[in-house]
């Protein structure tokens, strides 16, 4: 009668997948509307001009242009903005 003896239970064996957070597009990079800029927990970076924020605090571009990181305001917060360029507006029309 082939069988294994009782091996007892193991306490490990659980693991979670990495969340892949962080900055996805850096300053000066050209992005299209809808591109994800930052995946974060909480608002380490705040949305600036032409940037939206999702329910999980993900920042995304609402316009086509170049990414710009800046620190401003009395609390010295980090903001991410999209600076639209003339060439990007032409690309959208075409």
């Amino acid at each position: 009668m082939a069988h294994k003896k009782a091996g007892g239970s193991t306490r490990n064996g659980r693991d979670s997948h990495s969340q892949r957070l962080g900055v996805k597009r850096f300053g000066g990079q050209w992005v299209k509307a809808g591109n994800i800029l930052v995946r974060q927990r909480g608002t380490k970076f705040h949305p600036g001009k032409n940037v939206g924020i999702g329910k999980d605090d993900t920042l995304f571009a609402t316009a086509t242009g170049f990414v710009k990181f800046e620190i401003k305001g009395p609390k010295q917060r980090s903001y991410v903005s999209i600076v639209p360029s003339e060439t990007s507006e032409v690309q959208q029309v075409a």
Side-chain angles (χ1 to χ4, degrees):
M1 192 168 184
H3 66 275
K4 290 187 174 183
K5 288 183 79 171
S9 63
T10 179
R11 289 189 183 176
N12 51 10
R14 294 171 302 280
D15 200 3
S16 59
H17 297 290
S18 61
Q19 296 180 322
R20 292 159 178 97
L21 303 177
V23 177
K24 305 299 180 186
R25 296 287 182 265
F26 295 91
Q29 274 190 294
W30 184 83
V31 295
K32 293 195 284 187
N35 280 16
I36 291 176
L37 306 174
V38 181
R39 304 252 310 148
Q40 59 186 353
R41 293 293 167 261
T43 50
K44 181 176 181 182
F45 296 96
H46 294 264
K49 293 204 178 225
N50 299 317
V51 174
I53 187 166
K55 66 176 187 175
D56 63 346
D57 296 316
T58 294
L59 300 183
F60 58 91
T62 58
T64 302
F66 293 93
V67 180
K68 180 181 178 186
F69 285 83
E70 52 196 348
I71 297 173
K72 60 183 181 180
K75 295 185 178 179
Q76 295 292 294
R77 288 182 170 162
S78 298
Y79 287 86
V80 184
S81 300
I82 299 295
V83 179
S85 63
E86 293 77 30
T87 56
S88 64
E89 291 172 7
V90 171
Q91 288 174 348
Q92 279 183 334
V93 173

